């Protein structure tokens, strides 16, 4: 049986060594817990330090939250990388603009990660998941066919999600434009890495919670 396509998420920042790898690795680690094989999270940079590993202080954050920073190499964002992606999550509004310059067709699938998280929170408040999340009985849900079915259903849900998120955008507006952005700590003190963590971690948690509550049972 052919494996169903996972949900493809791309996180984007500038150098692809501080912010987007944290988002990539923590989303991947959390989503693997929600639905193994259901999500593929990658990252890229608009001016990437190609081939570089994750910056040490960012790697610390990834490890603290249960992800792995190993085997990472920064890569430059290209139209080819963007083509198969279901959702693009950028670290700032400026990055969103740069994504759309490369591929305008992604307009409705590209969000800053903090904006996207707020939209999911609004959806969460307004809608009860159809199946009540993973509360269904029956522990054998990992059997091959059923697992494939869950991945397919999940991918369908996430492909429809950007339009649902955009429909509540007016309810998820940031108090200030800066609240859509995650600070760039590159070549700055540890304080900036802490600020990045404070801005990024709640958004990641919102995305993971939405995925968990809406995972097909």
């Amino acid at each position: 049986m052919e494996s169903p396509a996972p949900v493809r998420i791309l996180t984007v920042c500038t150098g692809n060594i501080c912010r987007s790898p944290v988002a990539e690795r923590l989303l991947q680690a959390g989503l693997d817990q929600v639905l193994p094989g259901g999500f593929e999270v990658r990252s890229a940079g608009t001016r990437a330090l190609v081939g570089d590993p994750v910056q040490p202080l960012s790697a610390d954050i990834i490890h603290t939250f249960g992800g792995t920073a190993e085997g990472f190499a920064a890569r430059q964002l290209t139209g080819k990388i963007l083509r198969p992606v279901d959702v693009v999550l950028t670290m700032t509004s400026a990055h969103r603009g740069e994504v759309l310059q490369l591929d305008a067709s992604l307009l409705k699938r590209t969000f800053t990660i903090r904006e996207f998280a707020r939209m999911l929170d609004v959806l969460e408040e307004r809608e009860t998941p159809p199946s009540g999340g993973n509360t269904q009985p029956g522990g054998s849900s990992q059997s091959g066919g059923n697992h494939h079915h869950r991945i397919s259903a999940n991918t369908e849900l996430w492909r429809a999600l950007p339009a649902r998120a955009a429909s509540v955008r007016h309810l998820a507006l940031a108090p200030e434009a800066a609240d859509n952005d995650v600070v760039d700590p590159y070549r700055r003190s540890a304080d900036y890495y802490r600020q990045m963590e404070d801005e990024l971690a709640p958004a990641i948690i919102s995305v993971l919670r939405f995925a968990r509550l809406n995972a097909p049972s």
Side-chain angles (χ1 to χ4, degrees):
M1 188 196 275
E2 201 184 324
S3 291
V7 177
R8 293 194 170 92
I9 299 173
L10 183 74
T11 65
V12 176
C13 71
T14 307
N16 193 210
I17 55 170
C18 299
R19 290 170 288 179
S20 55
V22 173
E24 173 200 325
R25 293 301 173 96
L26 293 184
L27 284 172
Q28 187 72 71
L31 293 168
D32 282 348
Q33 299 292 321
V34 170
L35 185 60
F39 296 87
E40 182 184 285
V41 191
R42 299 291 307 276
S43 64
T46 56
R47 286 182 289 288
L49 291 146
V50 175
D52 277 17
V54 179
Q55 285 284 294
L57 290 174
S58 281
D60 290 347
I61 294 169
I62 293 171
H63 295 140
T64 298
F65 287 93
T68 170
E70 276 65 68
F72 183 89
R75 55 186 197 152
Q76 177 64 33
L77 181 69
T78 62
K80 187 175 178 214
I81 285 173
L82 287 167
R83 213 160 292 140
V85 174
D86 296 310
V87 183
V88 183
L89 299 176
T90 70
M91 298 302 119
T92 68
S93 301
H95 295 133
R96 182 174 185 270
E98 290 183 80
V99 167
L100 299 180
Q101 279 178 334
L102 280 172
D103 188 344
S105 75
L106 287 168
L107 178 67
K108 293 189 161 68
R109 282 182 283 152
T110 305
F111 306 86
T112 74
I113 189 167
R114 294 180 73 187
E115 175 190 38
F116 188 65
R118 285 198 313 272
M119 291 171 171
L120 296 189
D121 289 344
V122 171
L123 285 177
E124 209 51 63
E125 287 159 21
R126 295 185 66 189
E127 302 174 9
T128 335
S131 64
N134 283 331
T135 53
Q136 304 298 81
S140 63
S141 65
Q142 292 302 322
S143 65
N146 195 10
H147 188 61
H148 273 175
H149 178 72
R150 288 179 67 207
I151 291 177
S152 293
N154 187 65
T155 298
E156 222 168 282
L157 178 129
W158 276 76
R159 286 187 176 156
L161 186 56
R164 284 173 58 205
S167 74
V168 298
R169 180 176 263 137
H170 60 292
L171 301 172
L173 298 175
E176 293 168 39
D179 295 331
N180 284 324
D181 293 353
V182 175
V183 71
D184 185 1
Y186 182 54
R187 288 189 167 156
R188 295 161 95 176
S189 69
D191 286 347
Y192 285 97
Y193 280 88
R194 281 198 285 274
Q195 186 185 340
M196 170 188 77
E197 186 178 345
D198 287 344
E199 291 168 351
L200 195 48
I204 289 169
I205 288 166
S206 285
V207 174
L208 295 179
R209 183 177 57 210
F210 184 89
R212 175 173 60 83
L213 293 174
N214 292 275
S217 48

